[in-house]
Amino acid sequence: MTLSPAPSAATAAVSAVSTRVPTVRPATSADDVFIEDLQAIAFGPGRFAKTAYRIRERFRIDPSMSLIAEVDGVACGSVWMTPISIGGINGWMLGPLATHPNFRKLGAGKLLAREVTKRALARGDGQFVMLVGDRDYYCPLGWEPTTLGNIEFPGPVDPTRVLLFAEDKSLAATIAGPIAAWQQG
């Protein structure tokens, strides 16, 4: 009888990491404390001064578009969506998107961004998902830079970080106007 060698500590660690696959589920009110704590860890107290926070104060997030990422049943990330309109075109502002530092590099953030965008656009009542973020992170996922200065924010924003995801690939270059409330009708 031949015995297989015991796995090394490194092999065991790699195996443990490789099974840490994030999944996504809708957020519930039971996640409120986790989300608040996560945002505090990820963005600190300065998050309240950001222009994106001003938008979320004016236009409430859509709870049906709030998602939680989990790894092995443990919440590790979250994303919100805020219904907005730009130039009379309805869509969503993605964010904040945050992953707990203990779960980074597992793909939870990208999974959340892709899934919430897919769900939003599948509803058929909005044409885009806009965010303010890092091009190196979001552009490989399908976001495109907008025309500098076309979208008017209620405060300062680096226009090179304003990105848009839409099925209509011309929309990122053409959408223009102030961020306003979702247009009814």
Side-chain angles (χ1 to χ4, degrees):
M1 170 162 82
T2 306
L3 295 174
S4 299
S8 70
T11 302
V14 168
S15 295
V17 169
S18 67
T19 62
R20 297 179 67 186
V21 177
T23 58
V24 173
R25 65 169 173 79
T28 68
S29 60
D31 296 306
D32 291 350
V33 171
F34 164 75
I35 293 169
E36 183 61 35
D37 290 347
L38 177 61
Q39 290 178 9
I41 291 167
F43 305 112
R47 70 190 181 279
F48 298 115
K50 292 184 176 189
T51 297
Y53 195 83
R54 301 280 79 81
I55 294 168
R56 287 188 292 276
E57 282 181 333
R58 291 175 58 201
F59 313 115
R60 303 202 37 94
I61 66 160
D62 180 347
S64 73
M65 289 284 120
S66 296
L67 301 178
I68 297 291
E70 293 182 333
V71 171
D72 298 328
V74 177
C76 66
S78 72
V79 66
W80 284 347
M81 293 281 262
T82 303
I84 60 170
S85 177
I86 301 171
I89 302 170
N90 287 339
W92 289 269
M93 182 179 79
L94 186 150
L97 169 68
T99 303
H100 192 280
N102 294 347
F103 293 90
R104 295 217 172 113
K105 305 295 183 192
L106 298 177
K110 290 177 181 174
L111 178 63
L112 283 167
R114 285 182 179 123
E115 185 63 25
V116 78
T117 298
K118 180 178 87 176
R119 290 180 185 202
L121 295 177
R123 286 177 32 171
D125 53 355
Q127 296 183 37
F128 66 85
V129 174
M130 185 269 305
L131 59 84
V132 179
D134 182 13
R135 287 184 183 201
D136 291 340
Y137 187 86
Y138 289 102
C139 288
L141 301 177
W143 271 265
E144 299 177 85
T146 59
T147 300
L148 297 180
N150 268 11
I151 300 174
E152 300 167 32
F153 286 80
V157 167
D158 178 350
T160 66
R161 294 174 51 85
V162 179
L163 307 174
L164 195 96
F165 188 104
E167 307 242 341
D168 175 355
K169 295 304 176 191
S170 70
L171 195 56
T174 59
I175 196 165
I179 295 176
W182 186 277
Q183 302 294 306
Q184 301 300 322

